[in-house]
Amino acid sequence: MHLGLILGDQLTHDLASLRVLDPKVDRLIMAEVRDEATYVKHHKQKIALLFSAMRHFAQELRDAGWQVDYYEYNSQGNFKSLFDVVKHYTNEYSAERLVLTQCGEYRLQNAMDREWSKSLNIPVDVYGDDRFIATTKEFADWADGRKQLRMEYFYREMRRKTGYLMKDDNPEGGQWNYDADNRKKWDGKTPFPNPPMFERDDIDREVIELVEKNFADHPGSLDEFHWATTRSQASTALGFFIQHCLSNFGDFQDAMVRGEKALFHSLLSPYLNCGLLTAKQVCDAAQRAWDEDRAPLNAVEGFIRQIIGWREYVRGIYWLHMPRYAKQNTLKNKRSLPRYYWDGDTKMACMADCFKNTFDHAYAHHIQRLMVTGNFALLTGIKPEEICDWYLAVYADAYDWVELPNTLGMVMHADGGYLGSKPYAASGNYIHKMSDYCSQCHYSVKTQVEEDSCPFNSLYWHFIDRHREDFKNNHRMGMIYRTLDKMKDDKKDRIIARADDLLSRLDEL
């Protein structure tokens, strides 16, 4: 008899390991354990989503004829780690072999590869996770010999492989990428659809009570827990996005609006990353919308690019370069994360709104993460490991394989430009251009050195000035340094002094 271990981000019936196991003979193990829930302080909604989705999935497996041993979270129990659970059931059933699908985290996969088989005294078979479009080997082969790995070229290969938005070997519309058409500020008129609300069942309610009791010191609130926790509900969420949001997603995907948690974003990433939806299922739905003339090309292409382009690309980088990738800090950042990343209390309106969305919903869209909370961490020189751990903790869709390259590489430029050719640093003007935050802020986005000047403005030039040696030869930064060099010495000195003052009292902003 073989044991199959199903992890919390593998809630997919067509999982590679399930295809090689026999429901008539073999048994499955699923477990909620302390070590996985607390190695960072995961948002309460993230834990509730996973525990509830796991319990629902276990019931689906039983209904499909599988024998499932499910270990529910017990703060006083003997099992603190996944290995503890696996060892118990291995011994109880005298299992001959452990079968699983590749983990989404190097930490856990490395332990399995190096220690589990020897400690359990049985073979451990790990199957590749073919829910992704590209295998890790396929990405490594593509990356081999390239000095820089640009997502755009990998994305084109994935388009050719899948056939999404292709006519023979040519892209629909004659262009591969419509990102330039996807940067509009919200027009103030197009109404935002209200995402579906899902009725909570007994499993949901039990889990919510468990999380409130056992994870009270974790960030976030469960008051507005509206996530889908079943495969059927996740499919409903996908259908809602395609019908009500996709047509406007392209134009406004970079826009930010105070008090709006979702705009036209799909809110599907938590389901994709835990397995309730698959990349193929989601992209097939978007392709059908294009084929049936229900959504414009810039919207469908932008959405598909996020999934078969960026999502696949960061996973490839993660498995290609771990564990050394996680230790990189090429800008030599040393500052600790300001306290408002945990309590949300700041006079900066853009930051406060993003924090509120984060703590209320375990969600913020990609521009809020990249150009507000991430941009601020970059400009102020926060230690990469601290901001990486924060993103991993507070978002429902955050798993190490997707969060680490996005944060360390894209947000913090800590990998020396391997993932992004220039740092995503910006002054308050970018936020003003793409949002309505600045009109209701304590600080003025129009000034740089006054006491009420937007912190992003002086911090931006401080970042550019102090990292001149890092970026002076970057061709994409040339105009920025020419602007800095044309600045009068007195003005530059006052801007740097203002930023130095802000950096000396970050927690007060």
Side-chain angles (χ1 to χ4, degrees), residues 409-429:
M410 184 82 162
V411 170
M412 297 303 293
H413 207 76
D415 61 1
Y418 183 77
L419 189 147
S421 58
K422 68 180 286 291
Y424 277 84
S427 69
N429 186 55

Side-chain angles (χ1 to χ4, degrees), residues 99-229:
V99 177
L100 62 142
T101 299
Q102 181 184 7
C103 302
E105 185 164 2
Y106 178 86
R107 169 189 62 89
L108 189 56
Q109 188 63 58
N110 186 55
M112 291 176 177
D113 292 342
R114 291 178 174 270
E115 303 164 12
W116 281 31
S117 181
K118 187 175 182 180
S119 299
L120 296 171
N121 201 31
I122 59 171
V124 176
D125 293 344
V126 180
Y127 289 83
D129 193 344
D130 55 12
R131 296 175 298 171
F132 290 88
I133 305 299
T135 66
T136 52
K137 182 181 185 303
E138 187 176 358
F139 185 88
D141 289 344
W142 173 81
D144 187 40
R146 297 173 186 259
K147 291 183 179 179
Q148 288 187 316
L149 306 186
R150 291 288 166 258
M151 188 279 290
E152 176 65 24
Y153 301 114
F154 173 73
Y155 166 56
R156 294 179 186 183
E157 292 302 312
M158 294 300 98
R159 288 271 295 276
R160 292 188 178 101
K161 179 178 181 178
T162 61
Y164 290 128
L165 300 179
M166 297 293 291
K167 281 189 173 180
D168 299 322
D169 198 43
N170 298 309
E172 289 276 13
Q175 294 177 218
W176 290 101
N177 187 316
Y178 288 84
D179 188 49
D181 299 325
N182 295 345
R183 301 172 184 171
K184 294 180 181 178
K185 185 174 183 175
W186 182 54
D187 57 13
K189 297 179 293 186
T190 307
F192 300 123
N194 294 315
M197 307 275 283
F198 299 106
E199 185 176 347
R200 304 278 64 119
D201 62 11
D202 289 342
I203 291 177
D204 293 326
R205 287 189 286 269
E206 289 171 7
V207 166
I208 288 170
E209 184 179 350
L210 179 151
V211 173
E212 289 281 27
K213 178 181 177 181
N214 291 278
F215 302 97
D217 62 335
H218 283 230
S221 167
L222 287 163
D223 293 344
E224 298 185 57
F225 180 79
H226 302 310
W227 295 108
T229 56

Side-chain angles (χ1 to χ4, degrees), residues 250-265:
D251 286 350
F252 302 121
Q253 66 174 282
D254 285 6
M256 297 176 284
V257 180
R258 187 183 179 97
E260 293 292 336
K261 77 165 187 176
L263 286 77
F264 302 100
H265 290 269

